[in-house]
Amino acid sequence: MMIWLALYSWPVIAYIFFRKWSIPVATSATLIGGYLLLPENHAFDLPLLPPLDKHTIPALSALVLIWINSKDRKTPVDMRPGLLPHSKVVALLLVVMLFGTFATVMTNREPLFYGPTVLASMRVYDSFSILMATILTLIPFLIGRKVLSTQDGLKSFVTVFVMAAVGYACLALWEIRMSPQLNYQIYGFFPHSWIQHIRGGGFRPLVFLEHGLWLGIFFASAILIAFGQWRYETGKRKQQYLMAAGWLFLTISLSKVIGAFAIVLVLLPVMLFLGRRIQLMIAAIISIIVLFYPVLRNVDLVPTDTLLTYAERFDPARAQSLKFRFDNEDKLLARAKLKPLYGWGGYGRNFVFDEDGINTAVSDGLWVILFGKGGWFSYIGHYGLLTWGILALFLRKREEVDNTTAIIALALTGNLIDLLPNAGISPVTWMMAGALVGRLEQRGLVRDNESALIQPTRRPLRYTRDLGQKDTRNKARFVSQNQSINRDGTQDKYRPLGATDRIPYGGG
């Protein structure tokens, strides 16, 4: 009962968010809140449509409400025009990803036989189903590009992200002490294997996510963002971010998520002590490694033996788990090399079966799942969209990248590292990638005191509620084309200030 009540009610909750807060805040709260609070492994499975679950329902709700609010002339609009990116590179990556879904189906029309096991062939119907699922997956990316493209929008996202993580940390600490049972108590089921959440004589929390590892990378991203904001903020907000960062660091250190904790330890000094240019260079190098990871694994340029040696010194049990992953990746990679361009498709066709029809491989990392199912077209499409914002930002001049954008780039880099051993990609990850693409499109990308681009409205601009603070972005002036104003205060013809006649906020 609670499962369906939560899923059914989330669009209503999203509507309340959009009524109460500005569009960037409401969008961030809708997607992040849905990811953190809605139940896993349950969905509305409608005919001819992909399942509607905790990932797609918040995204669709936010998309519809963004469209409604952008049409409402009483609401100031501060977003990129249109839903599709303007970047030719991003457009090409979208085409590659979507074309790959059809090519994968067309090249896997034959059934596969492994002893008594028969794997179904891909049907034309599957191409439309996969295409719809891919489009739904990309909605948070497109929303992030549209809504979070301005500096104010990105700061709203950062605020919601950190506040949500701080509140979620309370639930995680409760599960660390009492065992991970909140999902069972609220929704009546446990979303994963119980034994995988018993570690080191204690418990690994997961709250309402699919796995504790997903929770770990969420906290890792929030820690990097909180410390980054603490570095650059001033006054009372600087202290608030420091307290939030310390609280989250304590939580992740007790959560028994070694991989996510290691990502924090590696990237946190980069966030705190290096300049934006060096931060983006490191993020770009990691992005290139991730983008070509299948090639590096295939030619043995990834030091797996060295990583296993270090893991053995730290924890022999974790080293054994890491070796199990590497061994299975080798099997799946050898299988994927047989169809490198478009992959094997679904229905388990990308797995390795013995002569008795038993599957002998386990896929953990997102990279090997995408590469095995969809080949290079799927892999480059997905990881290209995730990494392009970071790579393009690195090519910009240092003064053209503001602090908040650099912080998001480094937090996204942590997510990319985690997607090599794990498959915990989330709407939050896609939002960050889309936000970076939107920032690249935004004119006047890097001025810390940039003025938001607000579309004209024929009604007086009003303050909007944004987490209890007034939205000062609405102070942008409108200048009459003939410099005449009627007695009632209205203008006959007006236009928004452009790049050549913009007046600073501090102007007269």
Side-chain angles (χ1 to χ4, degrees), residues 299-335:
V299 297
D300 294 327
L301 288 181
V302 177
T304 55
D305 293 336
T306 302
L307 294 174
L308 289 174
T309 301
Y310 281 115
E312 182 72 28
R313 295 175 183 174
F314 181 78
D315 186 346
R318 295 301 92 213
Q320 184 178 1
S321 174
L322 186 61
K323 185 178 185 303
F324 177 81
R325 293 181 184 230
F326 286 152
D327 291 342
N328 280 274
E329 286 179 356
D330 290 336
K331 294 180 184 179
L332 294 168
L333 184 59
R335 171 73 172 169

Side-chain angles (χ1 to χ4, degrees), residues 251-496:
T251 303
I252 198 174
S253 65
L254 299 175
S255 296
K256 298 176 175 59
V257 282
I258 297 176
F261 190 56
I263 290 173
V264 171
L265 295 181
V266 170
L267 294 183
L268 189 56
V270 177
M271 180 72 78
L272 292 178
F273 304 116
L274 300 181
R276 285 175 296 185
R277 187 63 179 173
I278 303 299
Q279 290 175 357
L280 291 175
M281 181 183 70
I282 294 173
I285 292 173
I286 294 174
S287 297
I288 292 174
I289 292 174
V290 171
L291 192 59
F292 295 101
Y293 190 76
V295 175
L296 300 178
R297 285 285 277 124
N298 187 50
V299 297
D300 294 327
L301 288 181
V302 177
T304 55
D305 293 336
T306 302
L307 294 174
L308 289 174
T309 301
Y310 281 115
E312 182 72 28
R313 295 175 183 174
F314 181 78
D315 186 346
R318 295 301 92 213
Q320 184 178 1
S321 174
L322 186 61
K323 185 178 185 303
F324 177 81
R325 293 181 184 230
F326 286 152
D327 291 342
N328 280 274
E329 286 179 356
D330 290 336
K331 294 180 184 179
L332 294 168
L333 184 59
R335 171 73 172 169
K337 285 163 59 178
L338 299 177
K339 288 192 174 184
L341 285 181
Y342 308 120
W344 288 93
Y347 302 118
R349 298 165 60 93
N350 60 310
F351 288 112
V352 180
F353 292 83
D354 60 20
E355 59 185 11
D356 296 323
I358 299 175
N359 179 26
T360 61
V362 178
S363 57
D364 286 314
L366 179 67
W367 77 270
V368 76
I369 295 173
L370 292 176
F371 194 60
K373 287 186 174 182
W376 276 112
F377 270 68
S378 178
Y379 186 90
I380 292 298
H382 282 81
Y383 277 98
L385 291 175
L386 290 171
T387 59
W388 172 246
I390 296 173
L391 297 174
L393 283 171
F394 172 67
L395 299 177
R396 295 291 183 97
K397 296 179 180 179
R398 182 181 65 84
E399 62 272 11
E400 291 183 351
V401 181
D402 61 272
N403 296 329
T404 308
T405 303
I407 291 170
I408 293 297
L410 207 57
L412 178 59
T413 303
N415 280 250
L416 294 175
I417 297 173
D418 184 70
L419 291 179
L420 295 179
N422 301 311
I425 190 169
S426 70
V428 181
T429 307
W430 282 113
M431 282 187 74
M432 289 192 288
L436 295 183
V437 171
R439 292 294 289 148
L440 289 166
E441 294 182 9
Q442 179 72 32
R443 186 173 64 177
L445 173 65
V446 281
R447 295 183 177 87
D448 287 341
N449 60 345
E450 70 175 359
S451 301
L453 301 178
I454 302 178
Q455 296 180 0
T457 175
R458 292 188 179 276
R459 300 191 183 188
L461 293 176
R462 59 182 175 83
Y463 289 120
T464 59
R465 287 169 289 177
D466 190 341
L467 294 179
Q469 297 180 354
K470 292 183 178 179
D471 192 348
T472 58
R473 295 173 295 172
N474 299 337
K475 293 182 179 179
R477 298 174 175 83
F478 291 89
V479 180
S480 172
Q481 291 182 353
N482 56 10
Q483 298 297 321
S484 64
I485 300 178
N486 298 331
R487 291 181 179 273
D488 58 0
T490 61
Q491 296 176 348
D492 294 324
K493 296 180 180 179
Y494 56 86
R495 58 184 174 85

Side-chain angles (χ1 to χ4, degrees), residues 64-94:
V64 171
L65 290 167
I66 290 170
W67 178 77
I68 293 174
N69 280 269
S70 65
K71 298 296 182 182
D72 183 5
R73 293 192 174 187
K74 294 185 296 183
T75 304
V77 180
D78 188 6
M79 300 181 292
R80 297 298 301 161
L83 187 62
L84 296 179
H86 295 170
S87 168
K88 294 181 180 179
V89 175
V90 177
L92 178 61
L93 291 171
L94 290 172

